Amino acid sequence: MPSLLLGVTGGISAYKTIELASRMRKRGWGVQVLMTESATKFVAPLTFEAITARPVHANMWSSGEDFDFPASRGIGHIEIGKTADVFLIAPATANTLARLAAGLADDVVCATALAGHAPLVVAPAMNPRMWAHPATQENIETLRRRGVHLIPPGTGQMACGDEGIGRLPEPEELENWLLAFTSTKDTLKGVRVLVTAGGTREPLDPVRFLGNRSSGRMGHAIADAAARRGADVTLVTTQPSTAPVGVRLRSVNTALEMQAAVHSVFDEQDVVVMTAAVADYRPQQAATSKRKKDGETWRLELVPNPDILAELGQRKGKQFLIGFAAETENPERAAREKLLKKKADWIIGNDVSRLGVGFDSDMNHILIVEREGPVVEWPELPKRDLAEKIWDLFLQRTTR
Ligand code: PMT
C-alpha cells in the first residue's frame, strides 16, 4: 500500500486534513503527519496521532527515536521522506509557499521538503487576495518549474467572509487526487529509460554560445513521470538545476557531449526519449579567449552536428525510440518524415510557432506519429499531464 507524508501548515482549513488522513488510513495507506508550529494552533497533533497510529512530528528537535528512525539510521527529517510515495502539504499557506520557494528549512515541513525524496505536492489555501498577489503567484511558478505538483485551490466563500479563489479542496477531492497520482505506481518497474532534455549550447568563446529556447521542461516532465512509475531513469540534460529527483543525472552542454553521454548508456536502455533541442550546427572553432569588441563584423563558420537520434536509429536493437519534432508548420507531415528518416518508433510533433506552448512554457500541444495507425493528438495541456499520457499510451502499445 502507498504511504503518504502529510505536511500540515497553519491555516483554518487544516481541519480538513484530519478527514483526509482518516480516509487514506481506511484505504490501508500508511500516513505520517508533520506539522508546523502554527498548524498545531488550529488542530491538535493528538487527533492525527489517534487516526494515524503514529507520532506527529511538529518540530525539528525531536530525537531520531521520536521519528521512528534510530539515530544510527540518520537524521529524522531527512530519513522520514525516503520511504513515502508522496509528500502532500495541505493546507499550504502563502507563507509556506514562500518558504518552500526560498528553500528555507527551519521548520520540519519545509526541511523535509528540501531534503526532497518523495514527489512534492502542494494544496494551497489562503485568502483570495493573498492567492492573487504577484508574490504568491511567482512562488507558485518557481515551485512548478522545480517539479512541484499543484492541487489548485477551489473557489467559494472563505472563513474571513471574502469570496474568491483560495479554498482547500474537500477531503474527498484530495483523496481522489492522491489515488490518481499513485495509480500509475510501478507501471514501468524494471524498464530502463533514457531521456534527453534542454537545448544544447555551442560555444563561440569561453563566455558566449549559440543556443535555443528549450527549457528542459518537457523532457524533465517525461523523466519525472517515468521515475514515479518505477522506471530506472537516466536523464541527460543541459538544465540540471531543474531536473527531477529520483533520476540518474548526466549534465551536458554541447551536442557532442550529449552524443557521447547518450551513446555510452544506449545499450542498457529499453526506451529512449529524445526531447532535447539539439543544435544542428556548431561554430567550427570556439575561441579560447573572450573575443573583444573591435567594431568589425564577426563572421561565423558553422559545421553540422551529428544527428544523435538518427545514429540511435541505426544502432537500435530492442530499444523503443521516441523523438520529438519542433515544427512551425504542418507538424504531422514533418513528424512522419522524421520517423522514417531517423528510424524511430514514434515522433511526437509539436507546433512551436504558437505563443504559450512548446518552447519554454508549461504547456504543449502534441501529436504522436507511429509506424502504423492513425495519428494520436491531444489538446493543449500542461507538460506534466502530457508526460503521463505519453507513458499511458506507451504501456497500451507495448503490453498487449
Ligand atoms: O524544453 P522545453 O522548453 O520544455 O520545450 C520542449 C521542446 C519544444 C524543445 C520539445 O517538445 C521538442 O520539440 N524537442 C525537439 C526539438 C528539436 O530539436 O526538434 P528537431 O525537429 O530539430 O529534431 C527532431 C529529433 O531529432 C528530436 O528528437 C531531437 O532531439 C533529435 N535531434 C535533432 C538534431 C540533432 N542534431 N540530433 C538529434 O538527435
Side-chain angles (χ1 to χ4, degrees):
M1 271 295 163
S3 66
L4 167 68
L5 196 56
L6 177 60
V8 184
T9 72
I12 184 74
S13 57
Y15 73 92
K16 292 186 182 176
T17 57
I18 297 170
E19 189 184 332
L20 175 67
S22 164
R23 282 171 172 264
M24 300 326 282
R25 283 287 290 153
K26 281 185 190 142
R27 289 190 170 274
W29 284 42
V31 180
Q32 173 64 64
V33 176
L34 310 174
M35 298 176 81
T36 58
E37 203 188 328
S38 357
T40 64
K41 313 268 189 236
F42 290 94
V43 284
L46 190 60
T47 315
F48 284 114
E49 291 185 348
I51 287 170
T52 64
R54 290 195 191 173
V56 165
H57 303 302
N59 73 63
M60 294 279 288
W61 316 114
S62 310
S63 70
E65 279 71 16
D66 290 345
F67 272 100
D68 295 341
F69 290 100
S72 58
R73 281 185 48 206
I75 313 252
H77 63 271
I78 293 174
E79 290 300 310
I80 207 158
K82 281 190 178 164
T83 51
D85 292 294
V86 50
F87 182 9
L88 169 66
I89 303 184
T93 59
N95 179 45
T96 301
L97 296 175
R99 295 159 60 71
L100 290 169
L104 297 184
D106 57 357
D107 70 57
V108 74
V109 172
C110 291
T112 307
L114 198 62
H117 289 282
L120 182 61
V121 185
V122 291
M126 64 198 73
N127 169 277
R129 289 176 65 83
M130 290 168 92
W131 171 251
H133 197 285
T136 304
Q137 290 305 311
E138 276 166 31
N139 290 331
I140 286 281
E141 178 55 26
T142 301
L143 294 173
R144 266 195 162 137
R145 230 182 11 250
R146 287 186 201 145
V148 174
H149 304 264
L150 173 78
I151 305 182
T155 307
Q157 190 167 42
M158 308 291 139
C160 56
D162 287 358
E163 289 229 19
I165 303 173
R167 280 174 69 83
L168 185 67
E170 296 306 312
E172 191 182 349
E173 293 169 66
L174 296 173
E175 176 188 15
N176 288 338
W177 199 96
L178 288 171
L179 292 177
F181 188 73
T182 51
S183 66
T184 54
K185 186 175 187 266
D186 289 347
T187 49
L188 288 172
K189 198 166 180 63
V191 180
R192 284 159 303 182
V193 174
L194 170 65
V195 181
T196 65
T200 61
R201 295 174 184 164
E202 311 298 331
L204 291 163
D205 68 15
V207 296
R208 303 181 179 97
F209 59 82
L210 294 180
N212 60 66
R213 287 174 39 232
S214 169
S215 63
R217 277 184 241 182
M218 190 69 243
H220 292 188
I222 289 172
D224 183 37
R228 280 191 294 101
R229 288 166 181 250
D232 177 331
V233 181
T234 303
L235 173 63
V236 178
T237 180
T238 62
Q239 302 287 338
S241 61
T242 52
V245 291
V247 301
R248 196 173 299 108
L249 194 60
R250 295 281 297 269
S251 170
V252 295
N253 279 307
T254 65
L256 293 179
E257 287 169 14
M258 186 167 278
Q259 179 197 33
V262 165
H263 279 288
S264 70
V265 294
F266 181 65
D267 285 340
E268 302 135 36
Q269 306 303 321
D270 300 306
V271 189
V272 179
V273 192
M274 288 285 303
T275 320
V278 186
D280 287 321
Y281 293 90
R282 67 179 184 278
Q284 184 165 41
Q285 198 137 33
T288 49
S289 55
K290 185 182 168 206
R291 185 191 155 108
K292 300 254 183 299
K293 189 164 78 177
D294 56 10
E296 297 293 313
T297 302
W298 184 355
R299 288 186 206 290
L300 293 175
E301 186 123 43
L302 302 178
V303 294
N305 267 328
D307 188 321
I308 306 169
L309 180 58
E311 290 176 351
L312 299 183
Q314 293 293 340
R315 258 184 88 180
K316 172 174 145 59
K318 59 176 180 159
Q319 290 90 352
F320 196 95
L321 205 52
I322 304 176
F324 269 73
E327 301 299 333
T328 47
E329 53 196 48
N330 204 336
E332 182 180 335
R333 195 181 58 211
R336 203 166 287 288
E337 281 167 14
K338 284 182 182 167
L339 183 86
L340 298 176
K341 195 166 149 216
K342 305 200 185 201
K343 295 190 166 50
D345 293 286
W346 287 1
I347 291 285
I348 303 182
N350 39 198
D351 181 353
V352 292
S353 63
R354 294 166 46 207
L355 271 183
V357 290
F359 281 99
D360 199 16
S361 155
D362 283 331
M363 308 295 285
N364 209 354
H365 180 174
I366 63 176
L367 55 85
I368 300 186
V369 175
E370 303 175 66
R371 293 204 173 170
E372 287 169 11
V375 171
V376 176
E377 185 167 1
W378 292 309
E380 190 177 314
L381 284 169
K383 286 176 177 170
R384 298 192 150 279
D385 296 353
L386 289 171
E388 298 294 348
K389 289 174 96 54
I390 288 169
W391 288 122
D392 285 344
L393 187 69
F394 169 79
L395 285 164
Q396 259 180 43
R397 296 291 193 258
T398 53
T399 50
R400 282 189 195 123

